[in-house]
Amino acid sequence: MAAFREGEGRAPIELHSLHLRDGLHIPDSMLSVTEKKRAAAFRSSAARRLFVAGRVLCRGIIGNMVGCAPQALSLAITPSGRPYLCDYPEIDFNLSHSGDRLALAVCHGGRVGIDIERLDAFPEEIAFEIMPLILSDQELDRVQRLAAEARRTVLLSYWVRKEAALKCLGEGFLANPQTVTLDPDGTTSSVEAPPLGEPIAIRSGRFDGEESQHFHWAVATSNATTELLWRHHAERDFLTRFL
Ligand SMILES: CC(C)(COP(=O)(O)OP(=O)(O)OC[C@H]1O[C@@H](n2cnc3c(N)ncnc32)[C@H](O)[C@@H]1OP(=O)(O)O)[C@@H](O)C(=O)NCCC(=O)NCCS
């Protein structure tokens, strides 16, 4: 995507997804020294690959957007772990992974949080345990009235929307997910006493991945009316374009 210029109206929020196949090696040469150290500290090679691929995707997309070499972008993380760009405060981004799928959201102005989860992220019994921890009393009541299978799907849709909101706000699950209350229609939400001082809008949906994997996604942003633009990258394009 071409660099966004002032006066052209609000740029859409770019959403990128990437499916990493087994065994794909992703070099960490584009990463900073700190990121390389963090990558090296992962015990699980799958988790390491996801981390490296996330940083490569993020550096590649944002570097292209601002006209800067991907490896020259300076990224830091807040005390609660939220990554941000040091030199472009007008651009916000957020990453999420589930299984071998990565998602990146990038916006100009305001803040963004993204979450993706595989539809089969957790079994019914785990769903039962999680529900009272993340749902408000009203939401819990609503979900408990549903049939078992619908309950799990609806819970997951609550989960991704709440996590996206908490990631937008920056605290993640250090904040209480019960403070993010969602409207029943599932398209809008409100956050109690948002630290940003502005309402957070949450949009969500589903996409179908390869091998019958289905994902719930949610994007929370202070740019309530900005268009969302999904781009699903084939692994081949990712390798040739970004590495
Ligand atoms: C944010 C959080 C909900 C993400 O959970 P998760 O299961 O890893 O979920 P996702 O895959 O959707 O998101 C991971 C990405 O969110 C981003 N992230 C991490 N912390 C974040 C935060 N506080 N706010 C927003 N985004 C955050 C990172 O980019 C991370 O990916 P990366 O490590 O590859 O860069 C969870 O890590 C959390 O609650 N963190 C805050 C509390 C904490 O443990 N802090 C650690 C101190 S450094």
Side-chain angles (χ1 to χ4, degrees):
M1 178 179 165
F4 171 65
R5 284 176 281 278
E6 297 258 348
E8 286 182 342
R10 190 156 249 181
I13 295 175
E14 289 192 25
L15 307 172
H16 298 266
S17 91
L18 174 70
H19 178 207
L20 293 176
R21 282 174 208 286
D22 283 349
L24 176 74
H25 174 66
I26 303 172
D28 65 4
S29 48
M30 197 188 279
L31 274 55
S32 69
V33 173
T34 312
E35 287 169 333
K36 282 178 187 163
K37 277 192 194 150
R38 197 174 148 204
F42 279 100
R43 290 218 196 114
S44 142
S45 59
R48 177 186 176 280
R49 232 158 50 98
L50 275 175
F51 171 73
V52 174
R55 286 298 191 273
V56 170
L57 185 66
C58 160
R59 284 175 173 278
I61 297 287
I62 298 173
N64 182 45
M65 205 178 252
V66 299
C68 162
Q71 58 275 21
L73 283 176
S74 176
L75 302 183
I77 57 170
T78 64
S80 60
R82 189 179 202 271
Y84 64 95
L85 292 160
C86 302
D87 301 326
Y88 299 94
E90 72 283 12
I91 297 179
D92 192 35
F93 74 93
N94 201 231
L95 282 158
S96 180
H97 5 79
S98 180
D100 47 12
R101 173 81 52 170
L102 261 175
L104 165 74
V106 188
C107 76
H108 289 264
R111 301 251 298 204
V112 70
I114 188 165
D115 189 42
I116 55 166
E117 297 290 346
R118 272 177 65 157
L119 232 57
D120 57 358
F122 36 76
E124 175 70 22
E125 57 278 15
I126 303 289
F128 264 115
E129 282 174 31
I130 297 173
M131 277 192 317
L133 303 176
I134 68 161
L135 302 180
S136 69
D137 290 345
Q138 245 184 349
E139 290 162 352
L140 190 58
D141 183 51
R142 208 178 297 141
V143 172
Q144 276 172 335
R145 288 167 198 265
L146 299 170
E149 190 49 35
R151 203 182 299 146
R152 196 161 61 120
T153 309
V154 172
L155 173 67
L156 197 65
S157 83
Y158 273 109
W159 176 283
V160 291
R161 285 178 288 150
K162 288 185 181 226
E163 186 168 328
L166 295 176
K167 291 176 77 182
C168 177
L169 297 172
E171 292 303 299
F173 285 126
L174 290 177
N176 181 354
Q178 289 168 326
T179 60
V180 178
T181 51
L182 299 169
D183 294 339
D185 70 6
T187 56
T188 56
S189 78
S190 60
V191 180
E192 276 178 30
L196 300 181
E198 51 190 328
I200 299 297
I202 307 171
R203 282 168 276 175
S204 60
R206 269 170 68 159
F207 61 75
D208 296 332
E210 301 84 352
E211 291 134 25
S212 312
Q213 290 179 358
H214 305 296
F215 294 82
H216 260 311
W217 61 266
V219 172
T221 173
S222 48
N223 296 341
T225 55
T226 312
E227 186 194 351
L228 303 181
L229 208 63
W230 268 107
R231 170 132 192 238
H232 299 279
H233 297 268
E235 188 185 84
R236 209 177 40 250
D237 296 347
F238 172 73
L239 290 173
T240 50
R241 191 168 161 206
F242 298 115
L243 290 168

